Amino acid sequence: MQQPPVISGVSTDGDTRSTGERSILLSLLRGARLTCPACGKGAMFRRYLKVSDHCPACGEALHHHRADDAPPYFTIVIVGHIVVGLVLAVEMAYRPPLWLHAALWLPLTVLLALLILPPVKGALVGLQCALLMHGFDPNAEEEIVPSLDADLAKTPPRPRRLDFQP
Ligand SMILES: [Zn+2]
């Protein structure tokens, strides 16, 4: 069996973004295991959902990720399909009272969402890394997010009500 291409080493010019080919499936699976998509050894998260700035094992920069709302979105899709399927199956088979439905499915939904969210986020960060999205591309300029304050400073202040001259 052919080995998936391994992500090549980290560049030496102080930039910690790795270069070269990256296997999409391998990066995605490493991310889903909550490990660095580049080496698969270092932990991706420093807290529950906080992605480390750099991999503690290989130094790959991970702060470029822009997972944003995608992990909760995919988590809702996954948990929704599991829980709704179970609710319908139990309702059709046993017709339990509504309080029992609430007692079963509400905690299960919360628990599943909390369990599934980190691997989903890890997989998405791994996917972004493999596809060289955002700052993961070693040839890309650093993304500069214009600050709202800078935009506000350029626009003249709106006249306030007390400034009105009759
Ligand atoms: Zn690593």
Side-chain angles (χ1 to χ4, degrees):
M1 195 176 115
Q2 189 181 1
Q3 286 286 93
V6 177
I7 298 165
S8 63
V10 172
S11 63
T12 53
D13 57 356
D15 191 347
T16 52
R17 288 176 287 189
S18 65
T19 55
E21 286 288 306
R22 299 163 199 231
S23 160
I24 292 173
L25 183 63
L26 190 63
S27 294
L28 208 135
L29 290 176
R30 282 173 172 172
R33 286 196 338 248
L34 313 183
T35 58
C36 164
C39 69
K41 293 187 182 92
M44 178 183 288
F45 296 97
R46 64 187 142 102
R47 287 209 308 262
Y48 175 59
L49 285 177
K50 284 276 180 214
V51 176
S52 302
D53 287 344
H54 296 87
C55 169
C58 72
E60 170 80 20
L62 299 171
H63 59 86
H64 302 296
H65 82 88
R66 297 282 182 274
D68 299 334
D69 293 343
Y73 171 81
F74 286 109
T75 301
I76 289 168
V77 169
I78 295 166
V79 172
H81 279 82
I82 294 170
V83 172
V84 170
L86 286 173
V87 169
L88 291 176
V90 168
E91 174 62 23
M92 298 294 276
Y94 306 106
R95 302 224 177 260
L98 285 179
W99 69 263
L100 191 58
H101 272 301
L104 277 176
W105 309 122
L106 291 178
L108 182 73
T109 303
V110 172
L111 193 71
L112 275 179
L114 292 175
L115 285 175
I116 288 175
L117 201 46
V120 167
K121 183 169 184 175
L124 283 164
V125 173
L127 186 68
Q128 292 179 0
C129 179
L131 296 177
L132 301 178
M133 293 169 72
H134 314 297
F136 287 112
D137 183 356
N139 299 317
E141 301 272 323
E142 277 285 336
E143 276 188 54
I144 297 166
V145 180
S147 82
L148 185 61
D149 292 342
D151 285 348
L152 285 175
K154 281 185 228 158
T155 56
R158 289 173 57 187
R160 294 189 342 211
R161 199 173 205 172
L162 293 175
D163 296 338
F164 179 70
Q165 302 287 322

